[in-house]
Amino acid sequence: MKIIAGNWKMNGSRSGLDEMISALDNVETQNTVILCVPFTMVRGGTSRVAVGAQDISTHDKGAYTGEVSGQMLSDAGAKYVIVGHSERRAYHNETNAIVAEKATAALANGLTPIICVGETMDEKQAGKTMEIIESGVRESVPQNVSGKIIVAYEPRWAIGAGLTPTDQEIAAAHTLIAKTLESMGLAGTPVLYGASVKGSNAAQIMSIEHVDGVLVGGASLKSDDFIPIITSVK
Ligand code: 13P
C-alpha cells in the first residue's frame, strides 16, 4: 500500500475539487489518496480521499492578517497539511526551523504534516545533496512525532521541470532519509517522492526502496492524469 498525495498549488476551484473527489471515489485502490488544495477549497474528504492544505500558520490565533491556523484547517475538514514545500522555502523564506514550527502547529491540531525536504540545483551542483537532505530532516522534523508525520523528498530542481533524478539518486536520497529518521526514533515514517511524477513513471519510482508513495503537482490536477498514478501500484 502506498500514499498518493496531490498538491494542487494555486490551481483549481471548489467545483473542480468536487468533480475530482467524485471521480476518485470510484477508483478501486488500497492506496491512501490525499489532495492538498488551496485554503479556500479545504473541506472534509470521503472514505476514499482525504483533503489537506498546503501551508499553516505557526500561530494559534490573533492579529496575524492573512494567516490560517491549524485549528481553522481542522475545522474546515483538513486531515493533512504540506509544510516546507520548495515554493514556500523559495518565495516565503521558510527555513527548516520555521518548517519544524509549522509541523508542530499541525500536530497540535490533529493534522498530519507532510514535511518537505530537498536540494536546489545550486546545492546539487555543489555536491551538497546528501548534506541538505540530512540537515533538512534533522531540523525540519519536530521531536516525539513517531507515527504522526509524513516526509516528502522533493528535489527542488526537478519540480515542474519534467526532470527526475536517476533511480539510483532517488534510492540514495530515500535511504539516507529513512536512516536519518531511524536515528531520530522515527523508523517506519512514510517517505514520499515528489517532482515530475506522472502516470508513465509513477510505478517505477514507487518500486524503489524506501519510496512509500508520491507527492504529485501538475499531474494531480486532472483525474485523467491522477487516477493512472493511483492505480499504477497495488
Ligand atoms: P510537479 O509534479 O508539478 O513537478 O510538482 C511536484 C511538487 O512540487 C509536488 O509538491
Side-chain angles (χ1 to χ4, degrees):
M1 204 199 81
K2 301 287 188 183
I3 298 169
I4 317 288
N7 173 9
W8 274 16
K9 307 192 179 183
M10 199 171 70
N11 294 291
S13 63
R14 291 195 299 161
S15 61
L17 178 62
D18 289 343
E19 282 168 29
M20 175 65 92
I21 289 176
S22 302
L24 296 180
D25 275 342
N26 293 318
V27 175
E28 295 258 342
T29 181
Q30 301 297 314
N31 298 321
T32 300
V33 181
I34 305 164
L35 275 177
C36 294
V37 297
F39 287 138
T40 55
M41 296 170 212
V42 171
R43 46 160 281 186
T46 64
S47 55
R48 174 56 38 81
V49 44
V51 174
Q54 301 167 11
D55 186 30
I56 180 173
S57 177
T58 56
H59 305 288
D60 285 339
K61 63 175 177 172
Y64 302 101
T65 302
E67 297 272 282
V68 176
S69 72
Q71 204 278 325
M72 292 167 185
L73 294 176
S74 273
D75 184 48
K79 297 280 181 247
Y80 294 85
V81 60
I82 296 172
V83 292
H85 188 274
S86 170
E87 289 143 22
R88 300 295 313 173
R89 291 175 185 261
Y91 308 138
H92 301 273
N93 303 318
E94 290 190 9
T95 59
N96 289 335
I98 293 172
V99 175
E101 270 189 75
K102 291 192 168 192
T104 301
L107 290 162
N109 289 287
L111 301 163
T112 301
I114 302 174
I115 303 171
C116 300
V117 299
E119 78 286 2
T120 62
M121 182 53 97
D122 282 354
E123 289 160 348
K124 178 180 167 63
Q125 284 174 343
K128 290 190 174 158
T129 298
M130 293 292 139
E131 186 186 315
I132 292 294
I133 292 173
E134 182 168 354
S135 59
V137 173
R138 289 200 185 282
E139 295 167 15
S140 305
V141 173
Q143 302 289 312
N144 302 321
V145 295
S146 183
K148 296 182 189 161
I149 63 162
I150 295 172
V151 170
Y153 170 55
E154 295 211 320
R156 296 173 60 178
W157 51 272
I159 293 173
L163 299 170
T164 40
T166 64
D167 288 0
Q168 289 73 20
E169 286 171 325
I170 295 175
H174 279 253
T175 301
L176 172 64
I177 293 170
K179 283 198 175 134
T180 305
L181 288 166
E182 196 180 337
S183 77
M184 296 166 73
L186 300 174
T189 298
V191 184
L192 313 184
Y193 169 81
S196 300
V197 174
K198 37 190 191 289
S200 56
N201 63 13
Q204 172 59 25
I205 289 171
M206 283 189 274
S207 73
I208 298 170
E209 206 185 357
H210 300 302
V211 177
D212 303 305
V214 286
L215 180 54
V216 185
S220 70
L221 294 173
K222 291 192 195 137
S223 54
D224 285 354
D225 295 328
F226 196 39
I227 290 172
I229 297 173
I230 296 167
T231 56
S232 70
V233 287
K234 290 277 171 280

